[in-house]
Amino acid sequence: MRDYDEVTAFLGEWGPFQRLIFFLLSASIIPNGFTGLSSVFLIATPEHRCRVPDAANLSSAWRNHTVPLRLRDGREVPHSCRRYRLATIANFSALGLEPGRDVDLGQLEQESCLDGWEFSQDVYLSTIVTEWNLVCEDDWKAPLTISLFFVGVLLGSFISGQLSDRFGRKNVLFVTMGMQTGFSFLQIFSKNFEMFVVLFVLVGMGQISNYVAAFVLGMAIRLEDRNSWQVSSYNILYVRSVHILCIWLHGAATVCLLHPRLADAAGGADDAGGAMRGTLVGGLTEIGPCTARFIPESPRWLISQGRFEEAEVIIRKAAKANGIVVPSTIFDPSELQDLSSKKQQSHNILDLLRTWNIRMVTIMSIMLWMTISVGYFGLSLDTPNLHGDIFVNCFLSAMVEVPAYVLAWLLLQYLPRRYSMATALFLGGSVLLFMQLVPPDLYYLATVLVMVGKFGVTAAFSMVYVYTAELYPTVVRNMGVGVSSTASRLGSILSPYFVYLGAYDRFLPYILMGSLTILTAILTLFLPESFGTPLPDTIDQMLRVKGMKHRKTPSHTRMLKDGQERPTILKSTAF
């Protein structure tokens, strides 16, 4: 009895067919990079002050002194949320009294911004903050917007896998691409804050769902060794208006669905399975022939549904594209029933807590993923608060991820996991703690330290997928990584409020993120070392957490029969 990998081994792993599918799948998730952290610009808060109505009877001197001053970072700046009581200063103006000479401004009564705010347009023409006045008493709504987007990501993570198993990877990929594109477009017409955030939640659901579908589909088409792709292109946008930015985000996703040249290149290369199933998917096929017609359905999924003929058509076309001679029989008739009816032992999420060892691995993995997520998204979202041009800083924040991914790949290939992870986290956490020691005039040094911190956290984020997958046994590996990934989503939901704390103390977010990152680096050293060891198949075969006493029993001893192959060692993000 052969499994799917043995049946399709003749295809190879990186031929022309796989390269083309890899390119198309990678292109399909490019808009995710823009959408995922577009909040950096969407919720930006420009400089603002209380508006004074033109009808107010004030002299020019009093109009220049309607807003009290306050200390911020050692400097006196106009207050953003208070003004002097308008009726009082109008009376002084009518009497001909001069501010500061005849009237002690420090003794004047103050009031809130009853007539709204004036926002600076030096950097942004509009954001959702300026559209719906999300400042002062309502400033908590800005970070809530990002948190709700990540709530959508969390919900999408839960449902996307089930939908893919039920309706197919390809179908879910294009439905959720359409979902992300459509709801991004509708955000342009939002009438109020509530409408915008509801649509943003739905955009988040579509964003993660199409990413997961593309990832799983790539693995199913033998792209296992090339699946560590990330997109951080959000930072190169130079858009100053919230409406234009929403249009741009919508257009970026639409290109992946409608690009005509790729449609011509496809030329009906994938007719396997007939027409797309489902009304919505059918509609997407008509408007987006380039990728919908050319990217095939997962042969693994088709086999699981008993659709062997469709799976065989895809495999034969892949072999033809790779210039490989196809065996006369791909699926032996005697294997068909076995492949479709093969059942695995049932496991559930409680198995992640069954033994003391796996319980500790699960708890430590949850803490590790959550802290890394807080650090990664916190530093990304805090970029506008750095000194200098926001667009340059955001571009640098994106560019620093490229060498981080390269370093992570090299570390995974040649060095132990624990020490690689701990080093990256120590680097990221320690430089963030140094931020509070940087003199105010050395703001470029502060920016460099933040970028180094982002470098370390990004490298750790890239490695944690592989490390976690290697720690869990085959029977619960997907569940273990899934629970850890859920913890990551929770971390991303909390991250905007770490940035929000900067309104009270500029260095407080860095102190908190740096401290948590260093503590997590120490915690990582207690995890088992999986580098160069066989992947465990059962819970009893798991590597032991460092410092735990363990009495070896026959159930923990692994015996290999003569001729039995040792399990593979994971060297990529496939699991």
Side-chain angles (χ1 to χ4, degrees):
M1 177 61 197
R2 299 179 299 162
D3 60 18
Y4 175 83
D5 290 326
E6 292 175 312
V7 170
T8 60
F10 66 89
L11 286 176
E13 292 189 353
W14 196 234
F17 175 81
Q18 286 93 335
R19 286 196 292 269
L20 181 57
I21 300 302
F22 173 76
F23 168 77
L24 292 176
L25 290 176
S26 298
S28 73
I29 63 172
I30 286 178
N32 294 19
F34 295 111
T35 304
L37 286 169
S38 61
S39 304
V40 169
F41 306 109
L42 287 174
I43 70 162
T45 303
E47 294 290 333
H48 55 280
R49 57 185 292 176
C50 292
R51 176 182 286 115
V52 177
D54 295 334
N57 188 19
L58 297 175
S59 65
S60 58
W62 277 107
R63 281 193 174 274
N64 293 330
H65 291 83
T66 57
V67 178
L69 300 177
R70 60 168 179 155
L71 282 176
R72 186 178 68 182
D73 298 331
R75 297 182 298 112
E76 284 192 337
V77 296
H79 206 293
S80 301
C81 300
R82 306 291 292 175
R83 71 182 184 187
Y84 294 121
R85 188 174 182 182
L86 197 56
T88 301
I89 62 176
N91 184 45
F92 289 148
S93 178
L95 295 174
L97 301 178
E98 292 293 323
R101 188 188 68 185
D102 303 319
V103 179
D104 183 1
L105 297 178
Q107 302 300 318
L108 289 182
E109 186 180 356
Q110 299 180 9
E111 63 185 4
S112 59
C113 299
L114 302 178
D115 298 295
W117 291 264
E118 295 176 351
F119 292 93
S120 169
Q121 293 188 337
D122 292 342
V123 179
Y124 303 101
L125 297 179
S126 65
T127 69
I128 67 169
V129 171
T130 64
E131 288 283 310
W132 297 299
N133 293 328
L134 306 183
V135 292
C136 300
E137 292 83 1
D138 289 332
D139 62 353
W140 56 272
K141 293 182 179 180
L144 178 65
T145 304
I146 311 176
S147 292
L148 289 177
F149 170 80
F150 286 118
V151 167
V153 172
L154 177 62
L155 295 175
S157 300
F158 279 127
I159 66 174
S160 59
Q162 301 176 52
L163 292 176
S164 295
D165 289 342
R166 175 66 179 86
F167 300 107
R169 283 66 163 126
K170 177 179 178 179
N171 293 348
V172 170
L173 171 64
F174 288 98
V175 167
T176 53
M177 282 178 65
M179 178 180 176
Q180 177 183 348
T181 304
F183 289 124
S184 293
F185 180 69
L186 289 178
Q187 282 184 297
I188 302 169
F189 308 101
S190 297
K191 298 297 183 183
N192 50 49
F193 171 73
E194 291 74 17
M195 178 179 176
F196 184 90
V197 295
V198 168
L199 292 173
F200 213 21
V201 171
L202 297 173
V203 170
M205 293 176 64
Q207 187 246 23
I208 190 62
S209 297
N210 72 61
Y211 178 86
V212 171
F215 189 90
V216 174
L217 185 56
M219 292 178 66
I221 307 178
R222 301 191 69 83
L223 297 179
E224 290 91 337
D225 290 338
R226 270 78 183 177
N227 259 311
S228 55
W229 10 289
Q230 302 281 341
V231 179
S232 290
S233 48
Y234 75 97
N235 288 317
I236 61 175
L237 290 177
Y238 187 85
V239 181
R240 301 174 62 202
S241 167
V242 61
H243 300 289
I244 299 300
L245 179 55
C246 287
I247 292 173
W248 207 102
L249 294 173
H250 162 71
T254 303
V255 167
C256 293
L257 289 172
L258 299 178
H259 198 292
R261 291 186 179 179
L262 287 178
D264 296 337
D270 176 29
D271 296 325
M276 298 287 288
R277 293 162 177 79
T279 304
L280 181 55
V281 179
L284 286 174
T285 304
E286 294 176 2
I287 67 170
C290 66
T291 47
R293 289 182 57 196
F294 197 59
I295 294 178
E297 182 54 271
S298 164
R300 290 179 185 265
W301 181 80
L302 291 172
I303 291 172
S304 71
Q305 302 298 305
R307 293 156 60 178
F308 294 96
E309 292 182 0
E310 297 175 44
E312 185 166 333
V313 169
I314 294 173
I315 292 171
R316 289 187 179 276
K317 287 186 176 181
K320 182 179 180 181
N322 288 350
I324 295 173
V325 178
V326 186
S328 57
T329 302
I330 297 179
F331 298 109
D332 188 275
S334 62
E335 295 178 324
L336 298 184
Q337 185 175 357
D338 291 333
L339 282 171
S340 60
S341 62
K342 186 177 181 181
K343 302 291 182 183
Q344 292 184 345
Q345 181 182 353
S346 176
H347 289 272
N348 58 58
I349 196 170
L350 295 179
D351 288 320
L352 299 179
L353 304 173
R354 177 187 295 178
T355 67
W356 176 257
N357 187 59
I358 194 172
R359 191 181 309 132
M360 293 302 298
V361 168
T362 299
I363 293 173
M364 294 167 73
S365 295
I366 288 174
M367 296 173 63
L368 180 63
W369 281 67
M370 184 178 293
T371 303
I372 292 177
S373 182
V374 167
Y376 176 83
F377 288 104
L379 291 175
S380 298
L381 297 173
D382 189 60
T383 305
N385 296 324
L386 297 175
H387 187 88
D389 186 277
I390 177 178
F391 301 102
V392 173
N393 289 337
C394 288
F395 176 77
L396 294 175
S397 180
M399 291 302 297
V400 77
E401 295 191 19
V402 176
Y405 294 139
V406 174
L407 175 65
W409 180 80
L410 292 173
L411 293 176
L412 288 173
Q413 294 295 317
Y414 302 110
L415 294 177
R417 311 301 195 218
R418 284 190 307 137
Y419 298 124
S420 299
M421 285 284 299
T423 301
L425 291 171
F426 269 121
L427 173 65
S430 58
V431 295
L432 293 181
L433 290 179
F434 279 126
M435 281 287 294
Q436 57 188 315
L437 305 178
V438 177
D441 56 325
L442 298 179
Y443 46 83
Y444 288 114
L445 176 59
T447 301
V448 169
L449 290 178
V450 171
M451 296 306 166
V452 174
K454 178 78 178 293
F455 173 88
V457 173
T458 300
F461 214 163
S462 301
M463 292 184 285
V464 73
Y465 283 88
V466 174
Y467 191 24
T468 305
E470 291 178 339
L471 292 178
Y472 283 104
T474 303
V475 292
V476 293
R477 183 167 295 126
N478 284 346
M479 281 190 290
V481 176
V483 168
S484 301
S485 180
T486 300
S488 171
R489 309 304 174 202
L490 295 176
S492 62
I493 292 172
L494 294 174
S495 62
Y497 290 96
F498 277 75
V499 179
Y500 182 69
L501 292 174
Y504 301 95
D505 187 298
R506 181 69 192 96
F507 297 110
L508 185 56
Y510 300 119
I511 294 172
L512 290 177
M513 288 188 289
S515 300
L516 288 174
T517 302
I518 289 179
L519 289 175
T520 306
I522 297 173
L523 184 68
T524 303
L525 296 175
F526 290 93
L527 286 169
E529 179 53 66
S530 61
F531 180 65
T533 63
L535 290 178
D537 291 325
T538 67
I539 294 176
D540 287 338
Q541 295 169 357
M542 289 181 63
L543 298 169
R544 311 299 295 181
V545 173
K546 301 299 180 182
M548 287 181 55
K549 295 182 180 180
H550 169 57
R551 180 173 58 87
K552 184 176 289 187
T553 63
S555 62
H556 293 94
T557 305
R558 188 170 191 177
M559 302 299 293
L560 295 176
K561 298 178 181 179
D562 292 340
Q564 180 180 352
E565 294 183 358
R566 295 191 64 83
T568 57
I569 297 173
L570 190 64
K571 290 185 180 293
S572 71
T573 55
F575 46 84

